[in-house]
Amino acid sequence: NAGVTQTPKFQVLKTGQSMTLQCAQDMNHNSMYWYRQDPGMGLRLIYYSASEGTTDKGEVPNGYNVSRLNKREFSLRLESAAPSQTSVYFCASRDGSLAVKLFFGSGTQLSVL
Amino acid sequence: QQQVKQSPQSLIVQKGGISIINCAYENTAFDYFPWYQQFPGKGPALLIAIRPDVSEKKEGRFTISFNKSAKQFSLHIMDSQPGDSATYFCAATSDRGSTLGRLYFGRGTQLTVWP
């Protein structure tokens, strides 16, 4: 049982480069989320998808785009990476039966030079 | 504007001691308050959660205390162990309305338990 799988685990980009972070879940969850974690800032929501076909902005959406490809997959794209986007990115999914229980992936450590 | 305020930022406790982490919120629409635990290199995982209709919930050595009138809640870890060393996040959400499905996290507390 893989749960939530994120790729890649580590990535180094130069300013202005683009990349897509991939996320897939095998738990048949409807809702999926992208968070970023920065020291002393906690977990901040970037985008979320309440169900297949819908996406909504979170607290810090600027500089990011998302695609809910199907029920399993939710990708996060950085079109033109900036040093301020250096962070650890977590994807999560939620079982609709329990509002508070998110299942997180193991994260992507992204550095933008 | 931070929806959930958490303190302290870091906490050092001796083995066997009690660890206490506090959180406060303003939005009265919140009606479900979880705590997450995160070990280095891992994603956070749900530890325990409480509804505001009870003042306390206990699971093993972990207890949430909830004060609805003060809009505060806290995590107590009794008999703290080195294996409890992790980052703890409080959060708030609601089953309905504009906050449906969204968790608002505190900034985290890094707990270190010395042997």
Side-chain angles (χ1 to χ4, degrees):
Chain A
N1 187 0
V4 179
T5 303
Q6 290 183 236
T7 55
K9 292 189 182 301
F10 302 94
Q11 185 70 49
V12 178
L13 293 178
K14 294 182 179 179
T15 297
Q17 287 184 317
S18 62
M19 79 160 297
T20 299
L21 280 63
Q22 307 287 351
C23 175
Q25 52 92 8
D26 62 2
M27 295 172 284
N28 201 36
H29 289 169
N30 285 319
S31 302
M32 297 186 73
Y33 306 81
W34 277 105
Y35 285 89
R36 61 178 288 174
Q37 183 176 14
D38 303 289
M41 296 300 292
L43 293 155
R44 292 182 293 171
L45 183 64
I46 305 171
Y47 270 94
Y48 68 104
S49 172
S51 61
E52 186 179 354
T54 67
T55 60
D56 287 286
K57 295 179 180 179
E59 302 166 68
V60 288
N62 292 343
Y64 305 96
N65 285 301
V66 291
S67 295
R68 183 74 184 266
L69 303 171
N70 47 54
K71 191 171 186 179
R72 290 186 64 249
E73 299 172 288
F74 189 38
S75 62
L76 179 71
R77 183 161 179 83
L78 286 70
E79 291 291 352
S80 179
S84 61
Q85 294 178 306
T86 293
S87 186
V88 180
Y89 290 85
F90 287 99
C91 177
S93 67
R94 185 172 69 93
D95 178 356
S97 64
L98 183 59
V100 296
K101 190 168 186 178
L102 295 184
F103 294 80
F104 283 86
S106 57
T108 295
Q109 174 80 57
L110 175 67
S111 295
V112 182
L113 306 178
Chain B
Q1 180 183 359
Q2 195 178 4
Q3 297 269 5
V4 180
K5 296 182 179 180
Q6 181 172 349
S7 63
Q9 188 170 355
S10 63
L11 181 62
I12 299 174
V13 173
Q14 204 159 13
K15 179 181 175 181
I18 302 173
S19 304
I20 302 174
I21 304 170
N22 301 300
C23 286
Y25 66 98
E26 288 297 327
N27 190 343
T28 55
F30 292 144
D31 58 9
Y32 213 163
F33 302 89
W35 286 88
Y36 277 75
Q37 179 187 54
Q38 183 184 30
F39 293 106
K42 304 291 186 181
L46 179 65
L47 182 64
I48 187 173
I50 194 169
R51 294 273 197 187
D53 54 346
V54 296
S55 60
E56 186 175 282
K57 183 174 182 179
K58 185 176 181 179
E59 290 185 3
R61 295 184 294 108
F62 299 89
T63 300
I64 301 178
S65 297
F66 190 85
N67 185 330
K68 188 173 182 178
S69 61
K71 291 185 284 187
Q72 296 175 348
F73 57 109
S74 59
L75 177 69
H76 292 65
I77 306 175
M78 311 301 288
D79 187 26
S80 298
Q81 299 296 313
D84 297 329
S85 297
T87 300
Y88 292 82
F89 294 96
C90 62
T93 188
S94 173
D95 284 340
R96 56 189 180 275
S98 63
T99 57
L100 176 64
R102 292 183 58 165
L103 262 66
Y104 294 86
F105 287 90
R107 293 189 174 184
T109 297
Q110 188 165 351
L111 171 66
T112 302
V113 181
W114 288 99

